[in-house]
Amino acid sequence: MSNARTARFSRRGLLAAGGALGLGAVLTACGDDDAKSGDSGSAGGGDAKSGPWSFEDDRGTTVKLDKVPANIVAFTGVAAALYDYGVQVKGVFGPTKTKDGKADVQAGDMDISKVTVLGNVWDQFNVEKYATLAPDVLISTMFDDAGTLWYVPEASKEKIAKLAPSVGISVYDRQLTAPLQRMWELAESLGGDMKAAKATEAKKRFEEASERLRKAAKANPGIRVMAGSASPELFYVSGTNLSIDLEYFKALGVNFVEPPEKAKAEGGGWFESLSWENVDKYQADLIMMDDRTSAIQPADITEATWKKLPAVKAGQVIARSAEPILSYDKCAPLVESLAEAIEKAKKVA
């Protein structure tokens, strides 16, 4: 999105575009209110470095501190990625807990009982509790080119900014490998052990999975893939132009359904909204469905038009992490899943 388009595309709309799919249900995503958020836990990296610390983020802003941050607060997905590299955060904001108190899919492998949850849904961020954490730095992703920090409320962003410097990692209009590398660099600067077997083996696995996907797409060029997301009222078809995962998969040769730009205009260029009556507008052999808790999952979709789709009838529907956790450990399985699905898929559309 250009800045002009971003101005027209509200923060509520930007939330809907997160992961390139529109979801009105995101605004009422499950979770506790601020007052009921979790308890604080330990913070800091696996092997915290001493001495001054600096990091230039994707806004071109360089944060400089006298020592490596120990009290880190981050968007849940960022915290989950840092955790995979041995860096523990103190507080999180964003989808962290489901209605039954379990870890949200975006929390990855984190033990959510060991972090302070400052907000679990959109526009929820307990500034007072944030202050008590004595934060050294706040880290989030960015879904636009204006430097908007994901899940930091517009109404309280200035108060939040006064309490600690921030770092933004862009997940806008670039391939997955770019933010993966940036998160690697950030984790390393925070004391993550990037030479640990878990980290190096995960990176190798990701590279091997990418080559497997490239070969699968080349061997099955006729398999058409659609990225979708479901809400009670609408079905969303994502374009590949802005989403980090879809841009990467497309670069590897995956043949995606691509809604025209005019059709994606109302979705800020990210997606086209379809009524359930028109869910068969595009022909696809394989469907990737948003796995976030804010979206209706395939097994729970009751619309007859959905059940009649060739890919659905053929059982060729897989999950898609519309907001990938930016560690190689979490992204490698996503690439493997798509590669395997394309390898096995039959032409049904």
Side-chain angles (χ1 to χ4, degrees):
M1 288 178 285
S2 65
N3 288 332
R5 179 176 290 181
T6 302
R8 295 195 299 272
F9 195 39
S10 68
R11 292 228 348 139
R12 183 173 293 247
L14 181 59
L15 170 68
L21 296 171
L23 292 171
V26 174
L27 300 175
T28 54
C30 51
D32 299 336
D33 57 26
D34 292 340
K36 298 180 181 178
S37 294
D39 297 325
S40 63
S42 61
D47 294 312
K49 299 177 181 179
S50 60
W53 178 84
S54 68
F55 187 84
E56 182 177 356
D57 73 0
D58 290 338
R59 297 170 298 185
T61 300
T62 299
V63 177
K64 297 182 179 180
L65 299 173
D66 292 336
K67 60 181 180 179
V68 176
N71 296 344
I72 303 168
V73 173
F75 171 67
T76 302
V78 170
L82 293 176
Y83 180 87
D84 285 346
Y85 293 129
V87 179
Q88 176 70 47
V89 307
K90 195 168 186 179
V92 297
F93 55 95
T96 306
K97 295 188 290 185
T98 59
K99 289 181 179 179
D100 58 6
K102 295 180 180 179
D104 188 275
V105 65
Q106 294 191 61
D109 294 331
M110 280 194 304
D111 182 347
I112 61 173
S113 70
K114 294 183 178 180
V115 294
T116 296
V117 182
L118 302 173
N120 201 58
V121 299
W122 185 249
D123 263 347
Q124 183 185 85
F125 192 114
N126 191 321
V127 181
E128 291 73 21
K129 185 176 289 187
Y130 176 56
T132 66
L133 297 179
D136 293 321
V137 67
L138 178 147
I139 309 171
S140 190
T141 48
M142 301 181 296
F143 278 91
D144 62 17
D145 56 4
T148 305
L149 295 174
W150 194 231
Y151 267 81
V152 173
E154 184 71 21
S156 55
K157 68 177 184 179
E158 292 184 5
K159 292 180 180 179
I160 293 169
K162 290 178 181 179
L163 294 171
S166 62
V167 167
I169 300 297
S170 180
V171 290
Y172 173 73
D173 194 17
R174 61 202 61 206
Q175 293 181 25
L176 178 60
T177 45
L180 269 174
Q181 178 60 29
R182 293 293 284 145
M183 192 62 70
W184 176 284
E185 294 166 357
L186 176 60
E188 185 174 32
S189 78
L190 293 170
D193 184 359
M194 315 316 285
K195 295 182 180 179
K198 180 181 178 181
T200 58
E201 290 173 5
K203 189 172 184 179
K204 181 180 179 182
R205 180 182 172 188
F206 176 84
E207 293 167 350
E208 292 173 346
S210 297
E211 184 58 28
R212 178 182 175 185
L213 179 56
R214 187 192 304 276
K215 291 179 179 178
K218 184 176 182 179
N220 301 278
I223 298 299
R224 202 163 186 231
V225 182
M226 179 167 67
S229 185
S231 74
E233 298 81 17
L234 296 168
F235 182 82
Y236 305 92
V237 179
S238 176
T240 62
N241 295 340
L242 302 177
S243 299
I244 56 173
D245 61 329
L246 303 185
E247 282 201 14
Y248 184 55
F249 299 155
K250 183 179 179 180
L252 292 175
V254 177
N255 180 14
F256 279 103
V257 166
E258 189 71 58
E261 291 302 316
K262 184 176 181 180
K264 294 185 293 184
E266 290 187 4
W270 293 83
F271 57 85
E272 177 180 2
S273 304
L274 298 175
S275 66
W276 282 103
E277 290 76 13
N278 295 317
V279 74
D280 61 351
K281 178 177 179 179
Y282 298 107
Q283 297 299 307
D285 305 293
L286 174 65
I287 302 176
M288 303 173 68
M289 290 295 289
D290 187 348
D291 70 354
R292 292 175 295 181
T293 52
S294 53
I296 299 176
Q297 297 306 300
D300 300 319
I301 299 176
T302 59
E303 300 290 341
T305 49
W306 163 260
K307 295 180 179 180
K308 292 179 181 178
L309 292 178
V312 175
K313 293 171 69 175
Q316 296 181 170
V317 179
I318 64 171
R320 174 199 173 208
S321 293
E323 290 184 54
I325 293 173
L326 297 172
S327 71
Y328 290 104
D329 182 72
K330 295 299 180 292
C331 287
L334 308 182
V335 185
E336 290 170 343
S337 175
L338 181 56
E340 181 179 8
I342 291 177
E343 288 167 352
K344 296 180 177 180
K346 297 180 180 179
K347 186 69 180 173
V348 295

